[in-house]
Amino acid sequence: MVLTRRRFLASAGAMAATPAIADSAAATAPGFPQGFLWGASTAAYQIEGAVREDGRGPSIWDTFSHTPGAIKNGDTGDVACDHYHRWPGDFDLLRQGGFSAYRFSVSWPRVLPEGTGTVNPKGLDFYDRLVDALLAARIRPFLCLYHWDLPQALQDRGGWHNRDIAAWFADYAEVVAARLGDRVGDWAMLNEPSVVALFGHGLGGHAPNLKGRASFFLALHLQNLAQGAALARLRSAKPGLRLGTVLNLQPVRPEADTPADRQAAVIWDAMWNRSCMDPLLKGTYPEVVHADIEPILGPDDLSTIHQPIDFLGVNYYSRMVVKADAGAMFGTAWGKNAAKRYTAMGWPVEPRGLYDQLAEIRDRYGNIPVYVTENGAAYEDVVTPSGKIYDKERVDFLRDHLAMVRTAIAEGCNVKGYLVWSLLDNFEWAFGYSKRFGIVYVDYPTQRRIPKQSYYWLGQVARTGRLA
Ligand code: GCO
């Protein structure tokens, strides 16, 4: 299996889906519903910097990014976008842009430097200020409790391989909710557990850079368990909060229409998508992962994981194509890709996949309320001599995906909002600062922010509820 950190290698390839909706829909349908939320997403380690300030403890990403050779160009999140100090200006950009929602993550080691036990008040103060500023600007905060920056102290105790993490995470969730639950209504537990499991614990390439099939399944299952424990804890400690989680979902297709490749797609879909959705929403794991899950399944685990949620956050970037590969760790490999357009990550541009994903949640998962909590693209942005960025490809990307969201809503999908990834160019994990996903450009040496054409375009859509 040729495995790189390219998570979203995918294809429009072999299997044609139902052809009713093309990959680039014309913007002719009516606008978005009243009250639809428009926003941007970020994550603590990717933007904050200030990693040693005000009592923050180290996270696994500090450790990993300081490991020689781990991150492109030796980049680290030490300074990142310096959002820890520049957040007032960043929020001005959100407000002036016309956005009504903002998703951010809380850094666990800022709040609990050791992961458990003593609370760092200055860490909570920081998020307190953020929340007040957002509310003053009439921007609805979506708080995510875990976007990958596990306290290193917890990794030293086994991290996502230690069952105690369910209690550690629930305790941490309660600490944060005790402070912010009076003002933040929307709470996401995790961000993309299957990415954490696959790249952090299965194939390596992300912190804590562990490898192996059993390691993957244990990290995946214990994230599900911790998520369930935190949902239950917040539900009883703070009734009235809207609770959910954020999953990266990618419709999976076989490269060739053969039994072996079709089975590879079933396996990959189960590991990547359904092993997160099914236990949470249905209380079961997909059958093809039973042999891996059963040995690690505690008697009450499924009832802990299966919790009611108020919303599902969907991060969508592209579809996936896989093929059978008997020698590979999971019996599958990435398949060939035949999309017409690609982003600077090498990911295919497949807006139709977003429609398919939303329709599937409608049809197979009870049409629970959904926010698209991430969607966006890296491109090679060029600053013109007059200091402008005309990121037409990103505008096209956003327009084509939003057209799919609008179609999905017209067809009964319960989509409540769209939050672009990302507000700012930022630390793109193993790619460091080499990939720019922002609608606002960050000139890292000066930390100057330059809104891109996509920022103005999306802001216009947010104000009017129509695709320009
Ligand atoms: C993820 C994370 C983001 C990424 C974005 C682009 O999906 O990996 O949620 O932190 O930066 O998705 O890769």
Side-chain angles (χ1 to χ4, degrees), residues 145 169-179 233-234 237-238:
L145 284 164
F169 185 63
D171 290 347
Y172 156 63
E174 193 175 351
V175 166
V176 181
R179 180 69 178 268
R233 182 78 68 83
L234 292 186
K238 286 262 166 200

Side-chain angles (χ1 to χ4, degrees), residues 175-197:
V175 166
V176 181
R179 180 69 178 268
L180 302 177
D182 57 336
R183 283 155 294 150
V184 175
D186 301 282
W187 292 72
M189 303 300 106
L190 301 179
N191 176 74
E192 304 193 352
S194 59
V195 175
V196 170

Side-chain angles (χ1 to χ4, degrees), residues 385-444:
S386 61
K388 303 252 186 323
I389 295 151
Y390 297 105
D391 56 338
K392 180 178 180 309
E393 287 173 299
R394 187 175 288 104
V395 170
D396 290 344
F397 181 101
L398 298 177
R399 181 192 294 112
D400 291 345
H401 285 77
L402 279 167
M404 291 295 165
V405 174
R406 192 184 48 187
T407 302
I409 293 170
E411 296 183 6
C413 295
N414 200 358
V415 190
K416 304 287 190 195
Y418 176 95
L419 293 89
V420 69
W421 185 267
S422 177
L423 176 63
L424 304 169
D425 294 338
N426 61 46
F427 178 81
E428 177 57 24
W429 308 113
F431 290 90
Y433 298 99
S434 68
K435 301 294 179 203
R436 295 178 175 275
F437 276 87
I439 55 172
V440 174
Y441 185 91
V442 177
D443 178 50
Y444 293 108

Side-chain angles (χ1 to χ4, degrees), residues 8 23 192 247-251 314-320 348-355 357 372-376 397 401 418:
F8 298 108
D23 239 354
E192 304 193 352
L247 304 179
N248 54 297
L249 298 175
Q250 298 185 268
V314 173
N315 294 353
Y316 175 81
Y317 291 91
S318 72
R319 294 186 283 227
M320 278 180 157
V349 179
E350 297 175 314
R352 167 65 200 254
L354 177 54
Y355 169 87
Q357 190 57 61
V372 176
T373 36
E374 287 183 29
N375 176 235
F397 181 101
H401 285 77
Y418 176 95

Side-chain angles (χ1 to χ4, degrees), residues 145 177 184-189 230-236 238-245 307-312:
L145 284 164
V184 175
D186 301 282
W187 292 72
M189 303 300 106
L231 285 166
R233 182 78 68 83
L234 292 186
R235 194 67 79 193
S236 67
K238 286 262 166 200
L241 300 182
R242 290 178 295 277
L243 306 179
T245 204
Q307 298 287 330
I309 55 170
D310 303 297
F311 69 89
L312 182 66

